[in-house]
Amino acid sequence: MVDKETRERIIALIHQEVVPAIGCTEPMCVALCTAKATEKLGKRPEHITALLSANILKNAMGVGIPGTGMTGLPIAIALGTLIGKSEYQLEVLKDLTPEALEEGKRFLSENRIDIQLKKGITEKLYVEIIVEADGKSETTVIAGSHTHFVESGERRVESGEFATAPETIVVACPPLNLRLVYDFATTTPLDEIRFMEETRTYNMNAAREALKGNYGHNLGKTIDRPLSKGIFGNSIFCHIIARTASACDARMGGAMIPVMSNSGSGNQGICATNPVCVYAKENENTEEELIRALTLSHLTAIYIKQSLGTLSALCGCVVASIGSSVGITYLMGGDYNRICASVKNMVANLTGMICDGAKPSCSLKITSGVSTAVLSALLSMEGKCVSSQEGIVDDSVDRSISNLTAIGANGMGPTDEMVLNIMTSKGC
């Protein structure tokens, strides 16, 4: 069993990284920063300047803003300054009303918002909001993670490092590896990790919400329809894909419903949760097995993101799908060696999937990730594992993960630049 001090630190880390969020976390992060700047100014701004890193800009351009029927950053910024409360964190816009939305649209029509790419920074997650009114201005910065405020005077832009603001608590966690993740998830007293059931409540509710409307590309609904059942069958596999895609449809399509995020991403939270929950229900696993599988899934994703970074050129569904694959493997009765095999099978398949921003079609990528997660788990339970003679897979599961994150964090940098250039150059 993992010692008590280490368990407490890992639990604190999970609480920091697995949190509720309404809407896509990138525009919500910008809205949060805007709300904070407005609170510091003490009045409605006459003008707002948003200076954003390329990855924030990429991830916020095409996604629906909950409760608005609109997409992109301008309405998120307008509502952040008008009704946002920084104390709500990534649920910053949860007080939205129809009247507030109309006020936000009027604010937009007055051309008070200027959105620019921030030059000369290496930090991938960077938001700087400057609000001005009556000759007075205030600047607020979020960097490093979606709710991490930093003091303007403490920024070290040259190195891309940022000092922690007094209000921010960063959890000091021991270096994770897959063995520690597995031991923690499978041996920690159940009452200490029972809170992980909240991820099921939030993210399966989002899947149900999708059935009430037409969100995004309706991928989850499409998979549930008779024609699709004739192709996929009425199987556990079909249900896993449908429930996961549905939650993503609702979230990316602007449904006003919170999801439990993972490492700053709601889609990653969905992808690490719903496949595990659906499999556990249909396989008739126990409540304890489900809680441990959810813990294993989410903590695996957190572990991988530690070296990949909060935002990267690699699609986050690759990371979260690895988490769901190990969770499903555990529910199938797999031991640590089987779980290692699942991870290696995932690394051999999905590495290199690009992130081209948050948008309704993210549900397609999530479906690809979850499909591979189930396949990888099945292969591992059959004793099949991609060997170190193949591609970037190593004998060590942790080195295999390191190879994956090195490609995503370092090797795909030029790809990230090209993707952003394509996205910002399109006629639309």
Side-chain angles (χ1 to χ4, degrees), residues 1-153:
M1 179 182 285
V2 180
D3 66 84
K4 189 173 188 296
E5 181 183 352
T6 300
R7 293 202 314 271
E8 289 175 349
R9 291 165 69 186
I10 292 175
I11 288 168
L13 175 66
I14 295 173
H15 279 303
Q16 175 182 284
E17 299 294 345
V18 180
V19 297
I22 293 179
C24 177
T25 48
E26 275 69 56
M28 291 307 106
C29 168
V30 178
L32 172 62
C33 197
T34 306
K36 186 72 168 181
T38 303
E39 290 164 3
K40 289 164 62 177
L41 187 66
K43 61 182 69 177
R44 175 183 291 196
E46 297 168 357
H47 189 267
I48 302 172
T49 302
L51 303 174
L52 311 174
S53 64
N55 286 77
I56 287 284
L57 194 60
K58 178 182 73 174
N59 278 359
M61 287 171 59
V63 70
I65 305 303
T68 68
M70 302 172 69
T71 62
L73 282 166
I75 188 64
I77 292 172
L79 293 174
T81 201
L82 295 173
I83 57 114
K85 291 185 174 66
S86 64
E87 65 195 74
Y88 292 165
Q89 298 284 285
L90 292 178
E91 296 180 283
V92 59
L93 301 184
K94 69 179 181 180
D95 287 342
L96 179 64
T97 63
E99 295 74 23
L101 177 57
E102 290 307 309
E103 189 177 3
K105 290 177 180 178
R106 284 194 296 272
F107 192 89
L108 286 182
S109 69
E110 296 165 355
N111 295 318
R112 297 179 181 275
I113 299 172
D114 183 22
I115 301 171
Q116 301 176 27
L117 182 67
K118 176 72 175 182
K119 304 289 187 180
I121 59 168
T122 58
E123 175 61 55
K124 292 183 181 294
L125 196 164
Y126 181 91
V127 177
E128 180 177 340
I129 299 293
I130 305 166
V131 292
E132 302 170 82
D134 299 330
K136 180 184 176 185
S137 70
E138 289 286 350
T139 299
T140 303
V141 174
I142 287 177
S145 68
H146 292 80
T147 58
H148 180 191
F149 289 100
V150 293
E151 298 293 341
S152 298

Side-chain angles (χ1 to χ4, degrees), residues 235-249:
S235 63
I236 298 177
F237 179 68
C238 176
H239 299 161
I240 286 173
I241 295 174
R243 302 298 171 266
T244 309
S246 289
C248 181
D249 285 334

Side-chain angles (χ1 to χ4, degrees), residues 220-233:
K221 274 187 170 182
T222 299
I223 295 169
D224 260 342
R225 286 172 179 156
L227 176 61
S228 298
K229 282 188 166 60
I231 297 170
F232 293 110

